[in-house]
Each structure stands twice: as C-alpha cells, then as structure tokens.
Amino acid sequence: MEEGNSTVMISEVLDLLSQRWERINGAQALKLLPRETKLQNLLPFLAPLLRNSSEAHRNYSVIKSLRQSENLQVKEELYKHRKGVVQVTSDSMCSLCNKKIGASVFAVYPNGKTLVHFVCFKDSQGMKAVSKTSHGRRR
C-alpha cells in the first residue's frame, strides 16, 4: 500500500472501531492495528470499551458479594434449625401411629415439633415412593 492510502484506511478503521466498539473484540483489533497508530486516535474506541469493562467488573463483584451474603444467611438459618432441642418424654406420642414413643428410635419432622417412630417414618417414606412410581406406570 502507499503511505497516503494507508492513513485514509486507518482513519476509516478508527471511525468504524469508535462506532461499533461493543461488537468488536478490543484485544484482537489492537493487535491488527499498525504500531504507529497514536493512542489519541484510539480514545473514541478505548474509552467506552474500558468503561463497559469496568462496569461489568463492578456488577460481577456486586453479584458475588450478594451471593456470599445469601450463603451466610442460609448457613445461619441452618445452624438455627440444627440447634433446636426436642424433648421426648414418656408421654410423647407418634404422630403417625398414635402410640407412645418411649425408648424407641424416633424421627423429628423439619417443623421441629412432629415426633414419629423411625419405623413409621420409613414406612411413610416407602408409601410415598410407591405412590409416585405407581402414578408413573399408569401412562
């Protein structure tokens, strides 16, 4: 190329870069430009590109912080639920079979108040599994 034509093409390229900066990979575009290109001529292209990049970085940082905060809240709630104390007395009754729990192995539902024999709990879970599979076979 002649010297005069390349400067014309560079100015057209710089105009295109400044107009379509959001659709162009900035790093690749800079690699393709001649080394003699002045930084001042690249400002219309680089300014919005850098602004957009820093805004995206800030947004991701905020999202990351919010997720960490939410994670801590969930952990705190989990600790509160695990900390719950259930008192089983000789009068405690199984909510499923209505018999006394006594010294039997028992389970507590997530509400923290419903006590059941562990065997009754396992049986009720087995019935749920059977009823779910039986609905699937009707098709």
Side-chain angles (χ1 to χ4, degrees):
M1 274 193 238
E2 295 177 16
E3 191 71 25
N5 288 341
S6 67
T7 57
V8 170
M9 289 297 285
I10 293 294
S11 65
E12 290 174 356
V13 168
L14 292 175
D15 286 342
L16 181 65
L17 287 176
S18 65
Q19 291 172 8
R20 303 287 184 191
W21 62 268
E22 71 276 355
R23 296 183 179 194
I24 297 172
N25 184 331
Q28 287 181 347
L30 290 175
K31 284 180 186 177
L32 295 174
L33 288 173
R35 291 182 184 258
E36 299 83 34
T37 307
K38 294 181 180 179
L39 185 60
Q40 180 179 350
N41 296 339
L42 290 174
L43 281 178
F45 168 62
L46 291 177
L49 188 67
L50 292 173
R51 194 175 327 122
N52 189 35
S53 176
S54 65
E55 183 180 337
H57 180 71
R58 274 193 311 273
N59 289 343
Y60 290 131
S61 295
V62 168
I63 290 170
K64 180 181 176 185
S65 297
L66 287 172
R67 285 186 177 161
Q68 287 175 342
S69 174
E70 183 181 19
N71 187 22
L72 288 174
Q73 289 174 353
V74 168
K75 282 183 179 180
E76 181 181 355
E77 191 175 328
L78 176 64
Y79 292 144
K80 284 180 183 177
H81 283 291
R82 285 186 175 173
K83 192 170 98 174
V85 177
V86 177
Q87 190 172 20
V88 180
T89 63
S90 59
D91 296 332
S92 297
M93 302 288 282
C94 174
S95 297
L96 295 176
C97 70
N98 294 321
K99 294 180 181 176
K100 288 187 179 182
I101 291 183
S104 301
V105 178
F106 64 92
V108 181
Y109 279 93
N111 65 11
K113 297 176 184 175
T114 307
L115 291 172
V116 293
H117 289 110
F118 188 73
V119 173
C120 296
F121 172 76
K122 288 293 257 186
D123 290 344
S124 70
Q125 294 299 310
M127 281 193 254
K128 286 181 184 176
V130 169
S131 65
K132 285 181 183 178
T133 56
S134 65
H135 290 305
R137 291 181 184 167
R138 288 183 184 173
R139 292 180 189 179

